Amino acid sequence: AKLAGRDTICFHDDATQALMEARNETRRDLRLALQRGEFRLVYQLQYDADHRPLGAEALIRWQHPSRGMVSPAEFIPLAEESGLIVPLGDWVLEQACRQLVAWQQQVATAHLTLAVNVSARQFKEPDFVERIERVLTTSGADPHRLKLELTESSLLDDVEAGIDKMRRLKRLGIRFALDDFGTGYSSLQYLKRLPLDQIKIDQSFVNDLLLSGDDMAIVRTIIAMGVSLQLEVVAEGVETAHQLGWLVEAGCHVFQGYYFCKPLPIDQIELPFTSIPVS
Ligand code: C2E
Ligand code: CA
Ligand code: CA
Ligand code: CA
């Protein structure tokens, strides 16, 4: 029994060691990847209850030369730790704004919004507002079409400073969504103070929606909260018609998920706009 115990500990040490080495390698690779242009954005459309596309969320992808596609869930936390998220975040914003400008130039797509994920570390940079202003000015993107997705952790240690930044950006026309809603500890009191436009129900609640009475109750509560604060409620991770039907019935406003489409490179996105008359 003693030997087995020692073996187990040894196994854990090796595994931890290997994991740490892999992380260090990823950290080193990340720095080069930005210079080498290994990142790209994919876009996932968002729809209203009538299946009309309202816009998209931009999601980053890393095409690693030897490892293939690396998930943002793996490298974003490392980029946050090392601070690389700041230049990487700038790159994401530049690409996203470039896409917005392309949409703005076509009547059929001019109304589409684009949501960009902003990490906590990026949002906490003292010059975050100036960085956004710079990207908007150089790209010519309409701030009214840009949405920034924050998480509760973005606002955690200095709510006042966060609210101030949000207000300054809102004056430009930028909109805000609170991502992964329901996984943190937001009270209604706290939520009321944030100048938000949308809350996004975390997909973990949507996944098990029709299997779990608890999740149904949670989602109903989130929608009620959103409605009472006059916020748009977005459901992400919608995978089935059944989930969609339930969410529409429950009063959710915006829908995103594999049921409609996966995140795709821009040239693979089909926007059914031919039916919209050009006036
Ligand atoms: P998130 O912002 O919560 O994004 C939603 C995630 O759910 C995306 O994963 C998306 O591909 C996935 N998803 C969408 N629809 C479905 C569905 O129907 N079913 C399931 N199972 N999943 C669905 P992805 O692209 O792997 O991104 C993971 C996370 O990485 C994001 O979570 C976000 O936190 C972060 N991230 C992605 N791009 C960026 C970025 O440009 N900047 C920052 N800071 N973070 C990013
Ligand atoms: Ca998001
Ligand atoms: Ca989310
Ligand atoms: Ca997430």
Side-chain angles (χ1 to χ4, degrees), residues 20 89 92 94-95 111 122 129 151 153 192 197 223 245 276:
M20 277 170 61
V92 169
E94 280 160 25
Q95 296 298 308
H111 66 289
Q122 195 186 348
V129 173
T151 56
S153 60
K192 198 178 83 180
D197 300 280
I223 295 170
I276 293 178

PDB file of all heavy atoms in Angstrom, residues 20 89 92 94-95 111 122 129 151 153 192 197 223 245 276:
ATOM      1  N   MET A  20       3.661  21.628 -16.689  1.00  0.00           N
ATOM      2  CA  MET A  20       4.331  22.920 -16.557  1.00  0.00           C
ATOM      3  C   MET A  20       5.255  23.195 -17.739  1.00  0.00           C
ATOM      4  O   MET A  20       5.324  24.318 -18.224  1.00  0.00           O
ATOM      5  CB  MET A  20       5.115  22.982 -15.240  1.00  0.00           C
ATOM      6  CG  MET A  20       4.222  23.366 -14.065  1.00  0.00           C
ATOM      7  SD  MET A  20       5.027  23.162 -12.481  1.00  0.00           S
ATOM      8  CE  MET A  20       6.409  24.281 -12.643  1.00  0.00           C
ATOM      9  N   GLY A  89      -4.802  41.457 -27.730  1.00  0.00           N
ATOM     10  CA  GLY A  89      -6.124  42.077 -27.697  1.00  0.00           C
ATOM     11  C   GLY A  89      -6.240  43.236 -28.683  1.00  0.00           C
ATOM     12  O   GLY A  89      -7.276  43.417 -29.322  1.00  0.00           O
ATOM     13  N   VAL A  92      -6.746  41.703 -32.076  1.00  0.00           N
ATOM     14  CA  VAL A  92      -8.129  41.238 -32.242  1.00  0.00           C
ATOM     15  C   VAL A  92      -9.039  42.415 -32.587  1.00  0.00           C
ATOM     16  O   VAL A  92      -9.845  42.359 -33.522  1.00  0.00           O
ATOM     17  CB  VAL A  92      -8.633  40.505 -30.971  1.00  0.00           C
ATOM     18  CG1 VAL A  92     -10.138  40.251 -31.031  1.00  0.00           C
ATOM     19  CG2 VAL A  92      -7.877  39.199 -30.751  1.00  0.00           C
ATOM     20  N   GLU A  94      -8.221  45.304 -33.891  1.00  0.00           N
ATOM     21  CA  GLU A  94      -7.924  45.814 -35.242  1.00  0.00           C
ATOM     22  C   GLU A  94      -8.596  44.977 -36.322  1.00  0.00           C
ATOM     23  O   GLU A  94      -9.208  45.508 -37.249  1.00  0.00           O
ATOM     24  CB  GLU A  94      -6.408  45.823 -35.496  1.00  0.00           C
ATOM     25  CG  GLU A  94      -5.700  47.010 -34.882  1.00  0.00           C
ATOM     26  CD  GLU A  94      -4.200  46.763 -34.717  1.00  0.00           C
ATOM     27  OE1 GLU A  94      -3.645  45.928 -35.467  1.00  0.00           O
ATOM     28  OE2 GLU A  94      -3.601  47.378 -33.814  1.00  0.00           O
ATOM     29  N   GLN A  95      -8.473  43.653 -36.184  1.00  0.00           N
ATOM     30  CA  GLN A  95      -9.091  42.750 -37.162  1.00  0.00           C
ATOM     31  C   GLN A  95     -10.607  42.913 -37.169  1.00  0.00           C
ATOM     32  O   GLN A  95     -11.234  42.978 -38.219  1.00  0.00           O
ATOM     33  CB  GLN A  95      -8.752  41.284 -36.829  1.00  0.00           C
ATOM     34  CG  GLN A  95      -7.289  40.945 -36.920  1.00  0.00           C
ATOM     35  CD  GLN A  95      -6.743  41.139 -38.316  1.00  0.00           C
ATOM     36  OE1 GLN A  95      -7.299  40.616 -39.282  1.00  0.00           O
ATOM     37  NE2 GLN A  95      -5.690  41.900 -38.442  1.00  0.00           N
ATOM     38  N   HIS A 111     -25.980  47.070 -40.851  1.00  0.00           N
ATOM     39  CA  HIS A 111     -26.593  47.101 -39.518  1.00  0.00           C
ATOM     40  C   HIS A 111     -25.978  46.080 -38.552  1.00  0.00           C
ATOM     41  O   HIS A 111     -26.289  46.079 -37.367  1.00  0.00           O
ATOM     42  CB  HIS A 111     -28.095  46.814 -39.642  1.00  0.00           C
ATOM     43  CG  HIS A 111     -28.368  45.418 -40.110  1.00  0.00           C
ATOM     44  ND1 HIS A 111     -28.116  45.008 -41.400  1.00  0.00           N
ATOM     45  CD2 HIS A 111     -28.818  44.331 -39.443  1.00  0.00           C
ATOM     46  CE1 HIS A 111     -28.431  43.727 -41.514  1.00  0.00           C
ATOM     47  NE2 HIS A 111     -28.860  43.293 -40.345  1.00  0.00           N
ATOM     48  N   GLN A 122      -6.616  43.049 -20.025  1.00  0.00           N
ATOM     49  CA  GLN A 122      -6.685  44.022 -21.115  1.00  0.00           C
ATOM     50  C   GLN A 122      -7.544  45.226 -20.704  1.00  0.00           C
ATOM     51  O   GLN A 122      -7.150  46.381 -20.899  1.00  0.00           O
ATOM     52  CB  GLN A 122      -7.316  43.291 -22.306  1.00  0.00           C
ATOM     53  CG  GLN A 122      -7.200  43.918 -23.643  1.00  0.00           C
ATOM     54  CD  GLN A 122      -8.012  43.119 -24.666  1.00  0.00           C
ATOM     55  OE1 GLN A 122      -8.465  41.998 -24.409  1.00  0.00           O
ATOM     56  NE2 GLN A 122      -8.211  43.708 -25.827  1.00  0.00           N
ATOM     57  N   VAL A 129      -9.133  52.770 -22.748  1.00  0.00           N
ATOM     58  CA  VAL A 129     -10.064  53.620 -23.502  1.00  0.00           C
ATOM     59  C   VAL A 129      -9.364  54.247 -24.709  1.00  0.00           C
ATOM     60  O   VAL A 129      -9.882  54.242 -25.831  1.00  0.00           O
ATOM     61  CB  VAL A 129     -10.694  54.704 -22.593  1.00  0.00           C
ATOM     62  CG1 VAL A 129     -11.533  55.694 -23.395  1.00  0.00           C
ATOM     63  CG2 VAL A 129     -11.537  54.052 -21.506  1.00  0.00           C
ATOM     64  N   THR A 151     -16.179  40.107 -18.637  1.00  0.00           N
ATOM     65  CA  THR A 151     -16.642  39.151 -17.630  1.00  0.00           C
ATOM     66  C   THR A 151     -16.601  39.858 -16.276  1.00  0.00           C
ATOM     67  O   THR A 151     -16.009  40.928 -16.155  1.00  0.00           O
ATOM     68  CB  THR A 151     -15.748  37.897 -17.569  1.00  0.00           C
ATOM     69  OG1 THR A 151     -14.406  38.316 -17.336  1.00  0.00           O
ATOM     70  CG2 THR A 151     -15.809  37.118 -18.868  1.00  0.00           C
ATOM     71  N   SER A 153     -14.861  39.231 -13.839  1.00  0.00           N
ATOM     72  CA  SER A 153     -13.480  39.382 -13.351  1.00  0.00           C
ATOM     73  C   SER A 153     -12.833  40.663 -13.879  1.00  0.00           C
ATOM     74  O   SER A 153     -11.892  41.173 -13.280  1.00  0.00           O
ATOM     75  CB  SER A 153     -12.635  38.164 -13.728  1.00  0.00           C
ATOM     76  OG  SER A 153     -12.603  38.011 -15.123  1.00  0.00           O
ATOM     77  N   LYS A 192     -26.987  46.397 -11.369  1.00  0.00           N
ATOM     78  CA  LYS A 192     -27.745  47.617 -11.616  1.00  0.00           C
ATOM     79  C   LYS A 192     -26.826  48.804 -11.874  1.00  0.00           C
ATOM     80  O   LYS A 192     -27.159  49.716 -12.604  1.00  0.00           O
ATOM     81  CB  LYS A 192     -28.627  47.881 -10.385  1.00  0.00           C
ATOM     82  CG  LYS A 192     -29.772  48.828 -10.618  1.00  0.00           C
ATOM     83  CD  LYS A 192     -30.604  48.970  -9.365  1.00  0.00           C
ATOM     84  CE  LYS A 192     -29.992  49.991  -8.421  1.00  0.00           C
ATOM     85  NZ  LYS A 192     -30.785  50.152  -7.184  1.00  0.00           N
ATOM     86  N   ASP A 197     -25.474  46.751 -21.772  1.00  0.00           N
ATOM     87  CA  ASP A 197     -26.549  46.657 -22.749  1.00  0.00           C
ATOM     88  C   ASP A 197     -27.096  45.236 -22.823  1.00  0.00           C
ATOM     89  O   ASP A 197     -28.246  45.025 -23.160  1.00  0.00           O
ATOM     90  CB  ASP A 197     -26.031  47.085 -24.124  1.00  0.00           C
ATOM     91  CG  ASP A 197     -25.516  48.508 -24.097  1.00  0.00           C
ATOM     92  OD1 ASP A 197     -26.342  49.429 -24.161  1.00  0.00           O
ATOM     93  OD2 ASP A 197     -24.282  48.699 -23.933  1.00  0.00           O
ATOM     94  N   ILE A 223     -33.205  35.735 -17.062  1.00  0.00           N
ATOM     95  CA  ILE A 223     -33.994  36.497 -18.036  1.00  0.00           C
ATOM     96  C   ILE A 223     -34.833  37.565 -17.319  1.00  0.00           C
ATOM     97  O   ILE A 223     -34.858  38.722 -17.740  1.00  0.00           O
ATOM     98  CB  ILE A 223     -34.885  35.562 -18.898  1.00  0.00           C
ATOM     99  CG1 ILE A 223     -33.998  34.652 -19.767  1.00  0.00           C
ATOM    100  CG2 ILE A 223     -35.835  36.385 -19.787  1.00  0.00           C
ATOM    101  CD1 ILE A 223     -34.744  33.525 -20.470  1.00  0.00           C
ATOM    102  N   GLY A 245     -36.529  26.813 -28.800  1.00  0.00           N
ATOM    103  CA  GLY A 245     -37.958  27.018 -28.559  1.00  0.00           C
ATOM    104  C   GLY A 245     -38.224  27.425 -27.115  1.00  0.00           C
ATOM    105  O   GLY A 245     -38.968  28.369 -26.843  1.00  0.00           O
ATOM    106  N   ILE A 276     -33.357  41.403 -48.441  1.00  0.00           N
ATOM    107  CA  ILE A 276     -33.504  42.769 -47.929  1.00  0.00           C
ATOM    108  C   ILE A 276     -33.454  43.767 -49.083  1.00  0.00           C
ATOM    109  O   ILE A 276     -32.474  43.821 -49.819  1.00  0.00           O
ATOM    110  CB  ILE A 276     -32.413  43.094 -46.887  1.00  0.00           C
ATOM    111  CG1 ILE A 276     -32.629  42.242 -45.622  1.00  0.00           C
ATOM    112  CG2 ILE A 276     -32.412  44.577 -46.529  1.00  0.00           C
ATOM    113  CD1 ILE A 276     -31.590  42.455 -44.552  1.00  0.00           C
TER     114      ILE A 276
END
